[in-house]
């Protein structure tokens, strides 16, 4: 069953090498994420699953970045101009780490685990279709929670990208209210409110975290976890929320 969860944003700018001179602007978010990962370590899980949205499709019917990733899978920030590679946890002895690279969200998650010096349970990845139906996300969450006696989730995903005129999705007057509802739900572990997040509206507002959040909601059913909000802001016009559940 699920014993702990950390909710973190997944912009590459969270990585100081990527943010370069702007790195101090996200110090508070970065510190909050590391605190949330600390809650996962304290729960002493048997399995850690890093969940995030897959990268956008390049034209195929199903994005190749969707699906599971094994311990030891590799990710890179070379696509954003930084010669930095990361590994998701550690591959079992004798196992090969060759395979498809991690999508951006899981690459940032792998970087966070490395920054936190994660040495606990094996870490796996799961990338979701960003447009996955809420009920499918919840069902996937229940399946993940049933994989071990003590499961922890590192849930990567941003809020809306439409909070300001200079935001990636320009300004949308609905964005702040959506982010407020999502942040309140994530900070208080309100499973019904998470399940009720509007998938169509989230898509219009370019919310990367909606599907991973709803997977978390499904995984946490009957787990009795309490939530704690660690950070909330919208730098660069994108909603970032950090929360810890235990």
């Amino acid at each position: 069953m699920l014993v702990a969860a950390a909710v973190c944003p997944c912009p590459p700018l969270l990585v100081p090498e990527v943010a370069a001179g702007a790195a101090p602007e996200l110090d508070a978010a970065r510190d909050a994420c590391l605190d949330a990962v600390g809650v996962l370590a304290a729960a002493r899980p048997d399995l850690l699953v890093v969940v995030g949205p897959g990268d956008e499709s390049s034209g195929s019917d199903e994005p190749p970045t969707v699906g599971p990733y094994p311990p030891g899978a590799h990710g890179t920030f070379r696509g954003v101009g930084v010669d930095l590679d990361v590994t998701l946890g550690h591959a079992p002895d004798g196992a090969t780490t060759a395979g498809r690279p991690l999508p951006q969200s899981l690459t940032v998650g792998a970087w966070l685990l490395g920054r936190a010096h994660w040495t606990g349970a094996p870490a796996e990845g799961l990338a979701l279709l960003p447009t996955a139906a809420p009920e499918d996300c919840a069902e996937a969450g229940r399946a993940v929670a049933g994989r071990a006696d003590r499961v922890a989730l590192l849930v990567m995903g941003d809020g809306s990208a439409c909070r300001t005129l200079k935001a990636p999705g320009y300004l949308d007057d609905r964005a702040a209210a959506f982010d407020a509802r999502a942040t309140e739900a994530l900070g208080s572990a309100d499973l019904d409110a998470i399940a009720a997040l509007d998938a169509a509206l989230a898509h219009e507002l370019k919310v990367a975290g909606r599907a991973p959040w709803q997977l978390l909601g499904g995984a946490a059913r009957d787990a009795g976890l309490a939530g704690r909000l660690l950070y909330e802001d919208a730098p660069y016009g994108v909603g970032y929320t950090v929360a810890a559940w235990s």
Side-chain angles (χ1 to χ4, degrees), residues 70-93:
H74 288 279
T76 183
F77 292 99
R78 295 179 188 179
V80 290
V82 175
D83 187 11
L84 175 64
D85 298 330
V86 296
T87 302
L88 180 60
H90 304 282
D93 292 341

Side-chain angles (χ1 to χ4, degrees), residues 1-2 142 145 190-193 195 216-224:
M1 67 179 296
L2 188 70
R142 290 189 289 271
D190 186 334
L191 305 186
D192 290 337
L216 169 60
R221 288 289 175 186
D222 302 320

Side-chain angles (χ1 to χ4, degrees), residues 5-11 14 26 28-34 36-37 112 154-160 163 175-189 194 197 207-210 212-213 216 227-235 237-245:
V7 176
C8 297
C10 59
L14 206 60
L26 288 181
R30 198 174 294 117
D31 291 345
C33 289
L34 293 173
V37 172
L112 271 177
L154 174 54
V155 182
M156 309 298 298
D158 303 340
S160 72
R163 293 280 292 271
F178 183 97
D179 285 344
R181 287 194 298 273
T183 295
E184 171 63 25
L186 294 167
S188 60
I194 291 172
L197 291 173
V207 177
R210 191 274 309 169
W213 298 338
L216 169 60
R228 180 162 54 100
L229 182 64
L230 302 181
Y231 175 89
E232 186 278 324
D233 203 355
V238 181
Y240 295 159
T241 297
V242 181
W245 294 18

Side-chain angles (χ1 to χ4, degrees), residues 6-106:
V7 176
C8 297
C10 59
L13 287 173
L14 206 60
V15 180
E17 292 89 338
V18 176
E25 297 178 21
L26 288 181
D27 277 349
R30 198 174 294 117
D31 291 345
C33 289
L34 293 173
D35 288 344
V37 172
V39 171
L40 302 183
R44 303 181 66 84
D46 302 317
L47 172 67
L48 171 64
V49 182
V50 184
V51 181
D55 293 333
E56 291 295 328
S57 171
S58 58
S60 60
D61 291 337
E62 190 169 350
T65 59
V66 170
Y69 290 79
H74 288 279
T76 183
F77 292 99
R78 295 179 188 179
V80 290
V82 175
D83 187 11
L84 175 64
D85 298 330
V86 296
T87 302
L88 180 60
H90 304 282
D93 292 341
T96 177
T97 58
R100 56 186 182 155
L102 296 167
Q104 175 183 290
S105 64
L106 301 190

